[in-house]
Amino acid sequence: MPVDGVTWLLVLCHLWPHLIASDISDTPPPANTAQLPDRIRQLACLQATTHPQPSMSPSAPASSPPDPRLADTIRSTALAVIAAYGTWDIDQIMALRADDCVHRILPVSLREPPRNNRAYRRYFERTLPSFSRFSAEVRDICVDTAARTACLWVTSSADSVAGPYANEYFFWIRTTDDGRAVVEVREFVDSAYSLSVFKKIAAARAKL
């Protein structure tokens, strides 16, 4: 198959450094262009064996696919955490938490400190009497098995001592390695609404 002069020039420029450094440099050039394709294949083979092309992405050890059972376990645990709030029972709310669990209410502008189980129980027990008929609905959930976390978009509604209550949350929940207990909760709330409604609740309770 004939090859034009431009093609030969491009191939020669690309492979010339490898040609000089190889034994092929002692081989006489092809007598005519009809021999050129074989010559090109010979040079290409030499380049591939002596100068392998780097990988486009860093090599990484093969990893096994995520265990779907673990994803289901983490999802079930996270959903159970939200469902427990629907019971409005502090024991059920605390039941899924590991001994070293920490609960953070965010954003930081609310100035709520991180709370361990004991501190969170005291905090929530003070909140319980202000609400009734509390319900929480999970709008969406995303699970990361490698990080042992679940993220949930949640909305709630309830009756409060100051009138109807509704809020919106984003929960970031981290579990133990087996996905069955909670070791950290980051609860992002609608801060503007929360500050307003809890001010009204505090005023209402002061009148009781």
Side-chain angles (χ1 to χ4, degrees), residues 84-104:
Y85 283 101
T87 69
W88 214 236
D89 181 281
I90 188 60
D91 290 330
Q92 293 196 46
I93 291 170
M94 303 301 299
L96 290 167
R97 299 171 189 243
D99 292 341
D100 58 348
C101 181
V102 175
H103 192 118
R104 293 176 169 85

Side-chain angles (χ1 to χ4, degrees), residues 120-139:
Y120 187 75
R121 177 182 280 271
R122 286 200 305 268
Y123 160 81
F124 210 83
E125 284 176 339
R126 293 194 301 269
T127 304
L128 287 172
S130 298
F131 297 89
S132 61
R133 300 175 60 187
F134 187 94
S135 65
E137 181 178 354
V138 176
R139 300 287 185 170

